[in-house]
Amino acid sequence: MARIVAKFGGTSVADIERIENVADKVAREVEAGHEMAVVVSAMSGVTNKLVQYCAEVSPLYDAREYDTVVSSGEQVTAGLLAIALQKRGISARSWMGWQIPMKTSDIHGKARIEDINTKEMEKRFAEQEVAVIAGFQGVTRRKRIATLGRGGSDTTAVALAAALKANRCDIYTDVDGVYTTDPRIVKKARKIKKISYDEMLELASLGAKVLQTRSVEMAYKRDVSLQVLSSFEERVGSELPGTLVTKEEDIMEKHVVNGIAFTKDEAKITVFNVPDIPGVAAEVFRPLAKNNINVDMIVQNTSSDGKVVDITFIISEKDADTAVELLEKNKKLKGAKIRTAKDIVKISAVGIGMTSHPGVAQTMFKTLAEKGINMQVIATSEIKISVIIDKEYLELAVRALHDAYGLDKKKKK
Ligand code: ASP
Ligand code: MG
């Protein structure tokens, strides 16, 4: 017997037929003897609609009442799923955030979970009752409903799994796992069976948007094993059909490179002709930091006469115009020229085995060179190597690297 928290996202509960499908899946886990806490999202599209209603009534709405409105979608699905389970002869009840209670901070619209009291729920597990929990919501000290920010049901599920000391947290969604790269670009992309938290965070922040970054971080900190799986496939969570995100120690087969991630929404800024004296880099980056602009990769080159330097860095494309404006305004950078390139992409190879295997960077450089692709910026960390290249070579580069690192799906004989 295991204790499992299962979370079903909006597309998995989009209509009655799909809620019945969820009930079938939960019923199979219950029949196998597992204790189940099921966290549900609102039916897909519902939360967007509710958000829109608030804005229609008043663009300056009261955030507490916004939370009252937008949290209601989850109440509907929690009740419906409890009814569907009861119809199958399974004892089940719904739990709103305030009934658990799931206590949160009072930052309405993006509250943080502070404490979860699981006593009553656990007592009922012993009586074979399934708990169906409305995701995305909690209650503040002032007894108001608060929501956790869009996509927050993942966070509800992970926090609950930690509080319940669950054996696993299954995140059912519309994709069947985490892939070695985007299958739309590389047909030979494979589903990853097991991946470490570190790798998942890199892949998530690099654009593999399967799990909310915040929920992966929480799972990491609180030692919750997460499985990403599809609610549209036959197998249930306990058959482990998806991708398991877990501790590095639990991964026997450590791939040198486990995935190739890429992001298209970056811009490259080069500041030319800056005097080579202490303090200039601080002048370039101070106004950016002050304006909350995140800088990702930085390269500095000195001219051959050693008098001036060029500083190149990568930021999010949406920040590029603001950054240029700030740099041009800075009188201490007088004489500097600024150039922006938006037609670039960042490609990264990610893997925990990298630290113990030399030559991983060399494979990337050689592979790109063979395809005639120029690398504009290179950066490395313990578990990843990233390069900036022209956007037009994105697909070619991702395919070539996926193959070079041995990630391509093997042909079935
Ligand atoms: N229903 C909420 C949203 O759409 C929370 C969630 O689905 O995770 O943002
Ligand atoms: Mg979601």
Side-chain angles (χ1 to χ4, degrees):
M1 188 206 73
R3 179 175 288 179
I4 302 162
V5 172
K7 182 256 172 180
F8 292 88
T11 49
S12 304
V13 293
D15 54 35
I16 299 300
E17 197 184 319
R18 289 189 184 174
I19 292 175
E20 297 278 11
N21 168 54
V22 169
D24 284 339
K25 289 204 149 42
V26 174
R28 277 165 62 192
E29 296 282 35
V30 171
E31 277 150 26
H34 304 310
E35 288 177 350
M36 297 297 294
V38 187
V39 175
V40 287
S41 286
M43 293 167 149
S44 72
V46 167
T47 311
N48 286 344
K49 191 87 212 166
L50 295 168
V51 170
Q52 196 188 320
Y53 284 155
C54 292
E56 254 174 58
V57 175
S58 165
L60 295 172
Y61 50 70
D62 176 346
R64 291 160 297 194
E65 301 306 348
Y66 164 92
D67 278 350
T68 305
V69 176
V70 301
S71 62
S72 65
E74 274 74 10
Q75 176 159 345
V76 174
T77 37
L80 289 172
L81 180 58
I83 296 173
L85 287 166
Q86 289 165 3
K87 184 169 81 176
R88 285 162 177 75
I90 291 165
S91 158
R93 74 154 279 188
S94 60
W95 297 84
M96 300 305 106
W98 63 270
Q99 293 170 315
I100 299 175
M102 166 135 355
K103 292 192 183 143
T104 71
S105 64
D106 52 12
I107 322 230
H108 285 274
K110 43 175 190 285
R112 300 229 151 216
I113 298 171
E114 288 176 346
D115 181 62
I116 308 176
N117 185 339
T118 56
K119 245 204 213 116
E120 182 63 24
M121 205 179 276
E122 291 186 79
K123 213 174 86 199
R124 288 158 180 261
F125 282 154
E127 297 158 12
Q128 271 87 51
E129 188 179 89
V130 173
V132 183
I133 296 101
F136 180 51
Q137 57 169 268
V139 63
T140 70
R141 225 160 307 148
R142 297 188 173 87
K143 296 202 162 53
R144 302 296 304 256
I145 298 173
T147 63
L148 307 177
R150 297 305 307 272
S153 294
D154 286 352
T155 308
T156 305
V158 175
L160 190 65
L164 287 169
K165 299 196 174 54
N167 298 76
R168 206 177 56 245
C169 181
D170 286 337
I171 307 277
Y172 285 87
T173 175
D174 48 6
V175 295
D176 61 0
V178 179
Y179 277 74
T180 49
T181 195
D182 187 340
R184 285 170 300 188
I185 290 192
V186 182
K187 285 210 185 63
K188 291 177 184 158
R190 277 188 292 113
K191 185 162 68 187
I192 301 173
K193 284 304 291 175
K194 274 190 184 180
I195 187 171
S196 67
Y197 298 109
D198 277 324
E199 289 169 310
M200 187 63 226
L201 283 168
E202 288 294 353
L203 292 176
S205 62
L206 294 171
K209 293 180 188 69
V210 200
L211 284 171
Q212 213 195 13
T213 307
R214 187 173 146 203
S215 60
V216 179
E217 277 165 358
M218 188 190 281
Y220 193 178
K221 266 193 223 128
R222 310 210 37 198
D223 203 7
V224 174
S225 286
L226 285 179
Q227 179 180 206
V228 179
L229 71 167
S230 166
S231 62
F232 302 110
E233 86 154 272
E234 195 31 45
R235 287 177 295 172
V236 294
S238 294
E239 294 165 83
L240 301 179
T243 298
L244 198 68
V245 189
T246 188
K247 281 201 293 264
E248 197 177 317
E249 300 90 274
D250 295 343
I251 301 176
M252 301 293 285
E253 199 189 338
K254 291 190 175 50
H255 294 280
V256 178
V257 170
N258 218 346
I260 308 290
F262 54 86
T263 44
K264 298 180 199 170
D265 40 12
E266 321 252 350
K268 181 180 81 169
I269 295 188
T270 306
V271 187
F272 294 95
N273 211 24
V274 223
D276 191 10
I277 48 171
V280 280
E283 276 313 317
V284 171
F285 297 110
R286 181 181 46 83
L288 303 182
K290 237 173 110 184
N291 285 276
N292 280 320
I293 297 177
N294 245 332
V295 178
D296 183 27
M297 305 158 109
I298 300 173
V299 187
Q300 175 176 313
N301 301 313
T302 311
S303 63
S304 53
D305 62 7
K307 284 188 184 136
V308 292
V309 296
D310 302 341
I311 298 175
T312 301
F313 55 92
I314 305 298
I315 57 175
S316 173
E317 191 169 350
K318 67 173 175 14
D319 293 330
D321 295 341
T322 317
V324 170
E325 221 184 287
L326 290 166
L327 292 167
E328 279 170 348
K329 261 202 321 230
N330 190 345
K331 293 197 183 69
K332 298 212 172 107
L333 295 176
K334 232 175 66 191
K337 273 198 220 78
I338 297 159
R339 188 192 295 152
T340 316
K342 292 184 181 172
D343 46 358
I344 52 142
V345 287
K346 179 167 78 182
I347 299 185
S348 307
V350 178
I352 40 172
M354 224 175 253
T355 23
S356 50
H357 284 79
V360 182
Q362 175 55 20
T363 301
M364 178 175 271
F365 304 157
K366 188 169 148 263
T367 306
L368 295 177
E370 277 166 8
K371 299 285 176 194
I373 300 171
N374 189 36
M375 298 179 290
Q376 304 173 18
V377 182
I378 304 166
T380 60
S381 78
E382 271 192 2
I383 65 159
K384 96 180 160 182
I385 304 168
S386 306
V387 293
I388 297 291
I389 61 167
D390 271 346
K391 204 174 234 159
E392 62 176 305
Y393 298 119
L394 171 70
E395 302 197 357
L396 179 64
V398 172
R399 279 192 201 116
L401 291 170
H402 197 266
D403 183 22
Y405 285 117
L407 295 172
D408 282 2
K409 189 160 39 188
K410 308 246 163 24
K411 267 203 214 101
K412 286 211 180 85
K413 277 180 210 139

